Amino acid sequence: MEYLEIVKDPAGHMGQNRNLPPDLKTKARQLCWEFNQSPPDAVERRQEILRELFGTCHPLTFIEPSFRCDFGFNIHTHGLAVINYNCVILDTSPVHIGAGAFIAPGVCLSCAGHSIDPEQRSSGISTSRPITLEEDVWIGANSVVCGGVTIGKGSVIGAGSVVTRDIPAGVVAAGVPCRPIRPITEQDKISPEQLSF
């Protein structure tokens, strides 16, 4: 299964299918718990867990605990992916993480949402839209990427941003809501004398 089935209510709103087997989420919770309890030197075991948890797990996927997700099978890494401490992926729709991704501590990728209408929200009507990080994306610490967003190749999202709309390729973007600030240029290269490690 690559994605959750999405259904429309009579008013045309998108919602998560409530008939999904509950064991899908239970399995993800168990695997996340095992991953987060594993000792720091259990590199092979952590990789095994990620391969079982994710829909597609590239061998160069590196995640630091603590990590949480809803289902796991909707998460796809397509090359080097470095995901730092305390990240959450609410993968009620597919999440594609391109090669060369750097995801800083405290980032939340949230496909899931809820109805704006309070009556619908109270009745459990939810929304879900996919997230795509193209190649070489860097997301700064404590940022949130909302469902339906694509972040273009090579772009950088500043720390603490809330990304509610697509971000084009090759830009620095930041803010709440997140907006492109400027293009990335040759001036952004770090010179050898500036290297810290």
Side-chain angles (χ1 to χ4, degrees), residues 14-71:
M14 300 298 282
Q16 177 182 320
N17 186 341
R18 297 181 194 174
N19 298 317
L20 282 165
D23 62 323
L24 293 176
K25 203 163 195 175
T26 302
K27 178 183 177 186
R29 285 178 177 163
Q30 179 64 33
L31 289 170
C32 285
W33 183 88
E34 288 180 34
F35 182 86
N36 293 329
Q37 303 308 311
S38 64
D41 62 352
V43 178
E44 286 185 29
R45 178 59 187 142
R46 285 184 179 179
Q47 288 298 320
E48 286 173 11
I49 293 169
L50 292 178
R51 284 194 299 272
E52 187 176 350
L53 180 61
F54 287 1
T56 309
C57 185
H58 191 277
L60 294 178
T61 301
F62 303 102
I63 301 179
E64 292 289 346
S66 161
F67 173 77
R68 299 278 190 283
C69 66
D70 272 336
F71 296 97

Short mmCIF file of all heavy atoms in Angstrom, two decimals, residues 14-71:
data_model
loop_
_atom_site.label_atom_id
_atom_site.label_comp_id
_atom_site.label_asym_id
_atom_site.label_seq_id
_atom_site.Cartn_x
_atom_site.Cartn_y
_atom_site.Cartn_z
N MET A 14 -12.16 16.72 1.54
CA MET A 14 -11.33 15.53 1.56
C MET A 14 -11.18 15.03 2.98
O MET A 14 -11.06 15.82 3.92
CB MET A 14 -9.95 15.85 0.98
CG MET A 14 -9.99 16.34 -0.45
SD MET A 14 -10.65 15.14 -1.59
CE MET A 14 -9.24 14.08 -1.78
N GLY A 15 -11.18 13.73 3.15
CA GLY A 15 -11.01 13.18 4.49
C GLY A 15 -10.33 11.83 4.46
O GLY A 15 -10.35 11.13 3.45
N GLN A 16 -9.74 11.46 5.56
CA GLN A 16 -9.06 10.17 5.66
C GLN A 16 -10.11 9.07 5.81
O GLN A 16 -11.09 9.22 6.55
CB GLN A 16 -8.14 10.21 6.88
CG GLN A 16 -7.43 8.92 7.14
CD GLN A 16 -6.57 9.03 8.38
OE1 GLN A 16 -5.93 10.02 8.63
NE2 GLN A 16 -6.58 7.99 9.17
N ASN A 17 -9.91 7.97 5.13
CA ASN A 17 -10.81 6.84 5.23
C ASN A 17 -10.77 6.27 6.64
O ASN A 17 -9.72 5.83 7.11
CB ASN A 17 -10.40 5.77 4.21
CG ASN A 17 -11.37 4.62 4.16
OD1 ASN A 17 -12.15 4.41 5.08
ND2 ASN A 17 -11.33 3.88 3.08
N ARG A 18 -11.90 6.31 7.33
CA ARG A 18 -11.95 5.84 8.71
C ARG A 18 -11.96 4.31 8.81
O ARG A 18 -11.91 3.76 9.89
CB ARG A 18 -13.20 6.39 9.40
CG ARG A 18 -13.18 7.90 9.49
CD ARG A 18 -14.42 8.39 10.20
NE ARG A 18 -14.57 9.82 10.01
CZ ARG A 18 -15.61 10.50 10.41
NH1 ARG A 18 -16.61 9.89 11.01
NH2 ARG A 18 -15.68 11.79 10.21
N ASN A 19 -12.05 3.63 7.65
CA ASN A 19 -12.11 2.17 7.66
C ASN A 19 -10.74 1.51 7.53
O ASN A 19 -10.66 0.31 7.32
CB ASN A 19 -13.02 1.69 6.52
CG ASN A 19 -14.44 2.19 6.70
OD1 ASN A 19 -14.96 2.16 7.81
ND2 ASN A 19 -15.05 2.65 5.63
N LEU A 20 -9.67 2.29 7.63
CA LEU A 20 -8.34 1.71 7.56
C LEU A 20 -8.10 0.77 8.73
O LEU A 20 -8.49 1.08 9.86
CB LEU A 20 -7.28 2.80 7.57
CG LEU A 20 -7.09 3.53 6.24
CD1 LEU A 20 -6.31 4.80 6.44
CD2 LEU A 20 -6.38 2.62 5.27
N PRO A 21 -7.44 -0.33 8.49
CA PRO A 21 -7.16 -1.26 9.60
C PRO A 21 -6.31 -0.57 10.68
O PRO A 21 -5.29 0.04 10.37
CB PRO A 21 -6.36 -2.38 8.93
CG PRO A 21 -6.67 -2.26 7.48
CD PRO A 21 -6.96 -0.82 7.21
N PRO A 22 -6.73 -0.64 11.94
CA PRO A 22 -6.00 0.03 13.02
C PRO A 22 -4.60 -0.52 13.24
O PRO A 22 -3.73 0.16 13.77
CB PRO A 22 -6.87 -0.20 14.26
CG PRO A 22 -7.76 -1.35 13.92
CD PRO A 22 -7.92 -1.34 12.43
N ASP A 23 -4.36 -1.76 12.78
CA ASP A 23 -3.03 -2.34 12.99
C ASP A 23 -1.93 -1.64 12.19
O ASP A 23 -0.75 -1.75 12.51
CB ASP A 23 -3.03 -3.84 12.69
CG ASP A 23 -3.38 -4.15 11.25
OD1 ASP A 23 -4.24 -3.44 10.68
OD2 ASP A 23 -2.81 -5.10 10.69
N LEU A 24 -2.31 -0.86 11.14
CA LEU A 24 -1.31 -0.12 10.37
C LEU A 24 -0.61 0.90 11.26
O LEU A 24 0.60 1.05 11.23
CB LEU A 24 -1.96 0.58 9.18
CG LEU A 24 -2.50 -0.31 8.07
CD1 LEU A 24 -3.20 0.51 7.00
CD2 LEU A 24 -1.38 -1.15 7.46
N LYS A 25 -1.39 1.61 12.07
CA LYS A 25 -0.82 2.61 12.97
C LYS A 25 -0.13 1.93 14.15
O LYS A 25 0.91 2.40 14.61
CB LYS A 25 -1.92 3.56 13.46
CG LYS A 25 -1.39 4.89 13.92
CD LYS A 25 -2.51 5.91 13.99
CE LYS A 25 -1.92 7.30 14.10
NZ LYS A 25 -2.94 8.34 14.04
N THR A 26 -0.67 0.84 14.61
CA THR A 26 -0.07 0.10 15.73
C THR A 26 1.32 -0.39 15.37
O THR A 26 2.26 -0.27 16.17
CB THR A 26 -0.96 -1.10 16.12
OG1 THR A 26 -2.26 -0.61 16.46
CG2 THR A 26 -0.39 -1.86 17.29
N LYS A 27 1.47 -0.91 14.16
CA LYS A 27 2.78 -1.39 13.72
C LYS A 27 3.79 -0.25 13.69
O LYS A 27 4.93 -0.39 14.15
CB LYS A 27 2.66 -2.02 12.33
CG LYS A 27 3.99 -2.51 11.78
CD LYS A 27 3.84 -3.07 10.38
CE LYS A 27 5.21 -3.47 9.83
NZ LYS A 27 5.14 -3.90 8.42
N ALA A 28 3.39 0.91 13.17
CA ALA A 28 4.29 2.06 13.10
C ALA A 28 4.69 2.52 14.50
O ALA A 28 5.87 2.84 14.74
CB ALA A 28 3.64 3.21 12.33
N ARG A 29 3.75 2.55 15.42
CA ARG A 29 4.06 2.95 16.80
C ARG A 29 5.07 2.00 17.43
O ARG A 29 6.01 2.43 18.11
CB ARG A 29 2.79 2.98 17.64
CG ARG A 29 1.92 4.18 17.36
CD ARG A 29 0.67 4.13 18.20
NE ARG A 29 -0.14 5.32 17.97
CZ ARG A 29 -1.42 5.42 18.29
NH1 ARG A 29 -2.04 4.39 18.84
NH2 ARG A 29 -2.08 6.53 18.06
N GLN A 30 4.89 0.71 17.20
CA GLN A 30 5.81 -0.28 17.76
C GLN A 30 7.21 -0.12 17.18
O GLN A 30 8.21 -0.13 17.91
CB GLN A 30 5.29 -1.69 17.50
CG GLN A 30 6.18 -2.80 18.03
CD GLN A 30 6.32 -2.79 19.55
OE1 GLN A 30 5.39 -2.42 20.27
NE2 GLN A 30 7.48 -3.17 20.05
N LEU A 31 7.29 0.05 15.86
CA LEU A 31 8.59 0.19 15.21
C LEU A 31 9.28 1.49 15.63
O LEU A 31 10.50 1.51 15.85
CB LEU A 31 8.45 0.11 13.70
CG LEU A 31 8.10 -1.28 13.15
CD1 LEU A 31 7.75 -1.21 11.67
CD2 LEU A 31 9.24 -2.28 13.39
N CYS A 32 8.53 2.57 15.74
CA CYS A 32 9.11 3.84 16.22
C CYS A 32 9.63 3.68 17.65
O CYS A 32 10.72 4.17 17.98
CB CYS A 32 8.10 4.98 16.14
SG CYS A 32 7.81 5.60 14.47
N TRP A 33 8.87 2.99 18.47
CA TRP A 33 9.30 2.77 19.86
C TRP A 33 10.61 1.98 19.88
O TRP A 33 11.55 2.35 20.58
CB TRP A 33 8.22 2.03 20.64
CG TRP A 33 8.58 1.84 22.08
CD1 TRP A 33 8.34 2.71 23.11
CD2 TRP A 33 9.28 0.72 22.65
NE1 TRP A 33 8.85 2.20 24.28
CE2 TRP A 33 9.42 0.98 24.04
CE3 TRP A 33 9.78 -0.47 22.14
CZ2 TRP A 33 10.04 0.09 24.90
CZ3 TRP A 33 10.41 -1.36 22.99
CH2 TRP A 33 10.53 -1.07 24.35
N GLU A 34 10.67 0.90 19.08
CA GLU A 34 11.90 0.11 19.04
C GLU A 34 13.08 0.94 18.54
O GLU A 34 14.18 0.86 19.08
CB GLU A 34 11.70 -1.11 18.12
CG GLU A 34 10.80 -2.18 18.70
CD GLU A 34 10.63 -3.35 17.74
OE1 GLU A 34 11.59 -3.68 17.01
OE2 GLU A 34 9.52 -3.93 17.72
N PHE A 35 12.84 1.74 17.51
CA PHE A 35 13.89 2.59 16.96
C PHE A 35 14.40 3.57 18.03
O PHE A 35 15.60 3.73 18.24
CB PHE A 35 13.36 3.35 15.74
CG PHE A 35 14.38 4.22 15.08
CD1 PHE A 35 15.23 3.70 14.12
CD2 PHE A 35 14.49 5.57 15.40
CE1 PHE A 35 16.19 4.51 13.50
CE2 PHE A 35 15.43 6.37 14.79
CZ PHE A 35 16.28 5.84 13.84
N ASN A 36 13.47 4.21 18.71
CA ASN A 36 13.83 5.24 19.70
C ASN A 36 14.48 4.66 20.95
O ASN A 36 15.20 5.37 21.66
CB ASN A 36 12.60 6.08 20.07
CG ASN A 36 12.12 6.91 18.90
OD1 ASN A 36 12.91 7.34 18.06
ND2 ASN A 36 10.82 7.14 18.84
N GLN A 37 14.25 3.37 21.25
CA GLN A 37 14.86 2.74 22.42
C GLN A 37 16.19 2.07 22.09
O GLN A 37 16.88 1.59 22.98
CB GLN A 37 13.91 1.68 23.02
CG GLN A 37 12.53 2.20 23.41
CD GLN A 37 12.59 3.42 24.29
OE1 GLN A 37 13.31 3.44 25.28
NE2 GLN A 37 11.83 4.44 23.95
N SER A 38 16.55 2.03 20.83
CA SER A 38 17.76 1.31 20.43
C SER A 38 19.01 2.05 20.91
O SER A 38 19.04 3.28 20.94
CB SER A 38 17.80 1.13 18.92
OG SER A 38 17.89 2.39 18.28
N PRO A 39 20.06 1.31 21.29
CA PRO A 39 21.30 1.95 21.72
C PRO A 39 21.98 2.66 20.55
O PRO A 39 21.78 2.29 19.39
CB PRO A 39 22.15 0.79 22.25
CG PRO A 39 21.56 -0.43 21.67
CD PRO A 39 20.12 -0.16 21.39
N PRO A 40 22.80 3.68 20.84
CA PRO A 40 23.44 4.46 19.77
C PRO A 40 24.28 3.64 18.81
O PRO A 40 24.40 4.02 17.64
CB PRO A 40 24.31 5.45 20.54
CG PRO A 40 23.70 5.55 21.89
CD PRO A 40 23.10 4.21 22.17
N ASP A 41 24.83 2.52 19.26
CA ASP A 41 25.68 1.73 18.38
C ASP A 41 24.93 0.66 17.59
O ASP A 41 25.53 -0.12 16.85
CB ASP A 41 26.82 1.09 19.18
CG ASP A 41 26.33 0.13 20.25
OD1 ASP A 41 25.10 0.07 20.49
OD2 ASP A 41 27.17 -0.57 20.85
N ALA A 42 23.60 0.63 17.70
CA ALA A 42 22.79 -0.39 17.00
C ALA A 42 22.45 0.08 15.59
O ALA A 42 21.29 0.14 15.18
CB ALA A 42 21.52 -0.68 17.79
N VAL A 43 23.48 0.40 14.82
CA VAL A 43 23.29 0.98 13.49
C VAL A 43 22.53 0.02 12.57
O VAL A 43 21.58 0.43 11.88
CB VAL A 43 24.66 1.36 12.88
CG1 VAL A 43 24.49 1.91 11.47
CG2 VAL A 43 25.37 2.36 13.77
N GLU A 44 22.94 -1.25 12.54
CA GLU A 44 22.28 -2.21 11.65
C GLU A 44 20.82 -2.42 12.02
O GLU A 44 19.95 -2.50 11.15
CB GLU A 44 23.03 -3.53 11.65
CG GLU A 44 24.33 -3.49 10.88
CD GLU A 44 25.01 -4.84 10.80
OE1 GLU A 44 24.30 -5.87 10.83
OE2 GLU A 44 26.26 -4.86 10.74
N ARG A 45 20.55 -2.53 13.32
CA ARG A 45 19.17 -2.73 13.77
C ARG A 45 18.30 -1.53 13.41
O ARG A 45 17.16 -1.69 12.97
CB ARG A 45 19.13 -3.00 15.29
CG ARG A 45 17.72 -3.16 15.85
CD ARG A 45 16.97 -4.32 15.18
NE ARG A 45 15.59 -4.38 15.60
CZ ARG A 45 14.57 -4.70 14.79
NH1 ARG A 45 14.79 -5.00 13.52
NH2 ARG A 45 13.34 -4.72 15.24
N ARG A 46 18.83 -0.34 13.58
CA ARG A 46 18.07 0.85 13.21
C ARG A 46 17.74 0.86 11.73
O ARG A 46 16.62 1.20 11.34
CB ARG A 46 18.84 2.12 13.58
CG ARG A 46 18.83 2.42 15.07
CD ARG A 46 19.52 3.72 15.37
NE ARG A 46 19.49 4.02 16.80
CZ ARG A 46 20.05 5.09 17.34
NH1 ARG A 46 20.67 5.98 16.59
NH2 ARG A 46 19.97 5.29 18.64
N GLN A 47 18.70 0.47 10.90
CA GLN A 47 18.45 0.41 9.46
C GLN A 47 17.38 -0.64 9.13
O GLN A 47 16.52 -0.41 8.27
CB GLN A 47 19.75 0.12 8.70
CG GLN A 47 20.72 1.28 8.67
CD GLN A 47 20.16 2.51 7.98
OE1 GLN A 47 19.50 2.41 6.95
NE2 GLN A 47 20.41 3.68 8.54
N GLU A 48 17.41 -1.78 9.82
CA GLU A 48 16.39 -2.81 9.63
C GLU A 48 15.00 -2.27 9.95
O GLU A 48 14.04 -2.50 9.22
CB GLU A 48 16.66 -4.02 10.53
CG GLU A 48 17.81 -4.89 10.10
CD GLU A 48 18.12 -5.96 11.15
OE1 GLU A 48 17.31 -6.15 12.08
OE2 GLU A 48 19.18 -6.60 11.03
N ILE A 49 14.90 -1.56 11.06
CA ILE A 49 13.61 -0.99 11.47
C ILE A 49 13.11 -0.02 10.43
O ILE A 49 11.93 -0.05 10.04
CB ILE A 49 13.73 -0.33 12.86
CG1 ILE A 49 13.98 -1.38 13.94
CG2 ILE A 49 12.46 0.48 13.18
CD1 ILE A 49 14.38 -0.81 15.29
N LEU A 50 13.98 0.87 9.96
CA LEU A 50 13.56 1.86 8.95
C LEU A 50 13.13 1.18 7.66
O LEU A 50 12.15 1.62 7.03
CB LEU A 50 14.68 2.86 8.69
CG LEU A 50 15.02 3.80 9.85
CD1 LEU A 50 16.18 4.71 9.48
CD2 LEU A 50 13.81 4.63 10.27
N ARG A 51 13.81 0.12 7.26
CA ARG A 51 13.41 -0.60 6.04
C ARG A 51 12.03 -1.25 6.21
O ARG A 51 11.25 -1.29 5.26
CB ARG A 51 14.45 -1.67 5.68
CG ARG A 51 15.71 -1.09 5.04
CD ARG A 51 16.56 -2.18 4.39
NE ARG A 51 17.02 -3.19 5.32
CZ ARG A 51 18.16 -3.11 6.03
NH1 ARG A 51 18.94 -2.06 5.90
NH2 ARG A 51 18.50 -4.09 6.84
N GLU A 52 11.75 -1.72 7.40
CA GLU A 52 10.44 -2.32 7.67
C GLU A 52 9.36 -1.25 7.79
O GLU A 52 8.21 -1.46 7.40
CB GLU A 52 10.50 -3.14 8.96
CG GLU A 52 9.23 -3.93 9.22
CD GLU A 52 9.31 -4.83 10.44
OE1 GLU A 52 10.42 -5.00 11.00
OE2 GLU A 52 8.25 -5.35 10.84
N LEU A 53 9.72 -0.09 8.31
CA LEU A 53 8.75 0.98 8.58
C LEU A 53 8.38 1.76 7.33
O LEU A 53 7.21 2.01 7.06
CB LEU A 53 9.35 1.93 9.63
CG LEU A 53 8.52 3.13 10.08
CD1 LEU A 53 7.21 2.69 10.71
CD2 LEU A 53 9.33 4.00 11.05
N PHE A 54 9.39 2.16 6.53
CA PHE A 54 9.16 3.05 5.40
C PHE A 54 8.70 2.29 4.16
O PHE A 54 9.02 1.13 3.96
CB PHE A 54 10.43 3.82 5.06
CG PHE A 54 10.79 4.90 6.05
CD1 PHE A 54 10.04 5.15 7.18
CD2 PHE A 54 11.91 5.69 5.83
CE1 PHE A 54 10.38 6.14 8.08
CE2 PHE A 54 12.27 6.70 6.72
CZ PHE A 54 11.50 6.92 7.84
N GLY A 55 7.98 3.02 3.29
CA GLY A 55 7.60 2.46 2.00
C GLY A 55 8.82 2.27 1.11
O GLY A 55 8.94 1.26 0.43
N THR A 56 9.71 3.25 1.11
CA THR A 56 10.99 3.18 0.40
C THR A 56 12.04 3.76 1.32
O THR A 56 11.90 4.90 1.78
CB THR A 56 10.96 4.03 -0.90
OG1 THR A 56 9.82 3.68 -1.67
CG2 THR A 56 12.23 3.82 -1.72
N CYS A 57 13.08 2.98 1.61
CA CYS A 57 14.13 3.45 2.50
C CYS A 57 15.48 3.27 1.82
O CYS A 57 16.00 2.16 1.74
CB CYS A 57 14.10 2.70 3.83
SG CYS A 57 15.29 3.32 5.03
N HIS A 58 16.04 4.37 1.33
CA HIS A 58 17.34 4.33 0.70
C HIS A 58 18.39 3.95 1.75
O HIS A 58 18.27 4.34 2.91
CB HIS A 58 17.67 5.70 0.08
CG HIS A 58 18.87 5.67 -0.80
ND1 HIS A 58 20.15 5.77 -0.30
CD2 HIS A 58 18.99 5.54 -2.15
CE1 HIS A 58 21.01 5.71 -1.30
NE2 HIS A 58 20.33 5.56 -2.43
N PRO A 59 19.42 3.19 1.39
CA PRO A 59 20.44 2.79 2.37
C PRO A 59 21.15 3.97 3.06
O PRO A 59 21.67 3.81 4.15
CB PRO A 59 21.45 1.99 1.53
CG PRO A 59 20.69 1.53 0.34
CD PRO A 59 19.64 2.56 0.08
N LEU A 60 21.13 5.14 2.43
CA LEU A 60 21.76 6.31 3.04
C LEU A 60 20.75 7.18 3.78
O LEU A 60 20.83 8.41 3.76
CB LEU A 60 22.48 7.14 1.96
CG LEU A 60 23.67 6.46 1.30
CD1 LEU A 60 24.27 7.36 0.22
CD2 LEU A 60 24.73 6.08 2.32
N THR A 61 19.80 6.53 4.44
CA THR A 61 18.83 7.23 5.29
C THR A 61 19.32 7.15 6.73
O THR A 61 19.48 6.06 7.27
CB THR A 61 17.44 6.59 5.18
OG1 THR A 61 17.01 6.65 3.81
CG2 THR A 61 16.42 7.30 6.06
N PHE A 62 19.58 8.32 7.32
CA PHE A 62 20.10 8.39 8.68
C PHE A 62 19.16 9.24 9.53
O PHE A 62 18.94 10.41 9.23
CB PHE A 62 21.51 8.98 8.70
CG PHE A 62 22.48 8.22 7.84
CD1 PHE A 62 22.84 8.70 6.59
CD2 PHE A 62 23.01 7.01 8.28
CE1 PHE A 62 23.73 7.99 5.78
CE2 PHE A 62 23.90 6.30 7.48
CZ PHE A 62 24.26 6.80 6.23
N ILE A 63 18.63 8.63 10.58
CA ILE A 63 17.68 9.32 11.46
C ILE A 63 18.17 9.21 12.90
O ILE A 63 18.53 8.12 13.35
CB ILE A 63 16.26 8.73 11.33
CG1 ILE A 63 15.77 8.85 9.88
CG2 ILE A 63 15.30 9.43 12.29
CD1 ILE A 63 14.40 8.27 9.64
N GLU A 64 18.14 10.34 13.60
CA GLU A 64 18.46 10.33 15.03
C GLU A 64 17.16 10.23 15.83
O GLU A 64 16.19 10.91 15.50
CB GLU A 64 19.20 11.63 15.42
CG GLU A 64 20.59 11.76 14.83
CD GLU A 64 21.59 10.80 15.47
OE1 GLU A 64 21.28 10.21 16.52
OE2 GLU A 64 22.67 10.64 14.89
N PRO A 65 17.15 9.42 16.88
CA PRO A 65 15.97 9.41 17.75
C PRO A 65 15.84 10.76 18.46
O PRO A 65 16.86 11.45 18.60
CB PRO A 65 16.29 8.31 18.77
CG PRO A 65 17.38 7.50 18.14
CD PRO A 65 18.16 8.44 17.29
N SER A 66 14.75 11.17 18.86
CA SER A 66 13.47 10.50 18.79
C SER A 66 12.80 10.82 17.45
O SER A 66 12.88 11.94 16.97
CB SER A 66 12.64 10.98 19.98
OG SER A 66 11.30 10.77 19.85
N PHE A 67 12.15 9.81 16.89
CA PHE A 67 11.46 9.95 15.61
C PHE A 67 10.06 9.39 15.75
O PHE A 67 9.86 8.34 16.38
CB PHE A 67 12.22 9.21 14.50
CG PHE A 67 11.48 9.18 13.20
CD1 PHE A 67 11.44 10.30 12.39
CD2 PHE A 67 10.81 8.03 12.79
CE1 PHE A 67 10.74 10.28 11.19
CE2 PHE A 67 10.11 8.00 11.59
CZ PHE A 67 10.08 9.12 10.79
N ARG A 68 9.09 10.06 15.15
CA ARG A 68 7.70 9.59 15.18
C ARG A 68 7.08 9.73 13.79
O ARG A 68 7.39 10.66 13.05
CB ARG A 68 6.84 10.42 16.14
CG ARG A 68 7.28 10.41 17.60
CD ARG A 68 6.77 9.17 18.31
NE ARG A 68 6.97 9.22 19.74
CZ ARG A 68 8.11 9.02 20.36
NH1 ARG A 68 9.19 8.78 19.66
NH2 ARG A 68 8.19 9.05 21.68
N CYS A 69 6.20 8.80 13.46
CA CYS A 69 5.40 8.92 12.24
C CYS A 69 4.06 8.23 12.48
O CYS A 69 3.90 7.48 13.45
CB CYS A 69 6.12 8.33 11.04
SG CYS A 69 6.37 6.55 11.11
N ASP A 70 3.10 8.49 11.58
CA ASP A 70 1.77 7.89 11.72
C ASP A 70 1.73 6.47 11.19
O ASP A 70 1.22 5.57 11.85
CB ASP A 70 0.72 8.73 10.98
CG ASP A 70 0.14 9.83 11.83
OD1 ASP A 70 0.16 9.71 13.06
OD2 ASP A 70 -0.35 10.83 11.25
N PHE A 71 2.22 6.26 9.97
CA PHE A 71 2.08 4.96 9.33
C PHE A 71 3.40 4.40 8.79
O PHE A 71 3.57 3.20 8.74
CB PHE A 71 1.06 5.03 8.18
CG PHE A 71 -0.33 5.34 8.67
CD1 PHE A 71 -0.82 6.64 8.63
CD2 PHE A 71 -1.13 4.34 9.18
CE1 PHE A 71 -2.09 6.92 9.10
CE2 PHE A 71 -2.40 4.62 9.65
CZ PHE A 71 -2.89 5.92 9.62
#
